[in-house]
Amino acid sequence: MMEFDPTRPKWTQIADVIRGRIADGTYPPSHLISEVRMEQEFGVARVTIRKVTAALREEGLIVTTPGMGSFVTQRRPKG
């Protein structure tokens, strides 16, 4: 379980972790981002995880397909 900083919202801290995993390739393109697994891993409520996925979707890091789930988007070349 993650040690949370009490001065920042939990969802922003979890989003930082997931962003890092996407950036370092732990979660490659097309990887399923499971809300249930995140709930269990971080020990938070589903509403918190929904804020995480909404933020990552807004940033273009994941795409959500109804009935299928959320997946890491294809990386865009830098430059």
Side-chain angles (χ1 to χ4, degrees), residues 33 35 53-54 56-57 62-73:
I33 302 293
E35 289 185 351
T53 55
L56 297 174
R57 206 171 22 252
I62 65 171
V63 62
T64 302
T65 305
M68 291 184 65
S70 296
F71 300 88
V72 176
T73 57

Side-chain angles (χ1 to χ4, degrees), residues 13-26:
Q13 296 175 67
I14 296 168
D16 288 346
V17 170
I18 303 303
R19 254 187 234 103
R21 290 176 184 174
I22 291 170
D24 72 12
T26 301

Side-chain angles (χ1 to χ4, degrees), residues 19-20 22-25 61 74-79:
R19 254 187 234 103
I22 291 170
D24 72 12
L61 293 174
Q74 298 298 316
R75 286 187 189 25
R76 290 168 198 83
K78 295 192 178 26

Side-chain angles (χ1 to χ4, degrees), residues 15-65:
D16 288 346
V17 170
I18 303 303
R19 254 187 234 103
R21 290 176 184 174
I22 291 170
D24 72 12
T26 301
Y27 291 171
S30 301
H31 178 84
L32 173 66
I33 302 293
S34 168
E35 289 185 351
V36 173
R37 281 196 214 116
M38 282 195 287
E39 255 184 285
Q40 293 168 349
E41 178 181 350
F42 297 106
V44 296
R46 178 67 63 102
V47 68
T48 303
I49 297 303
R50 294 252 161 103
K51 288 181 182 179
V52 172
T53 55
L56 297 174
R57 206 171 22 252
E58 202 171 284
E59 293 169 28
L61 293 174
I62 65 171
V63 62
T64 302
T65 305

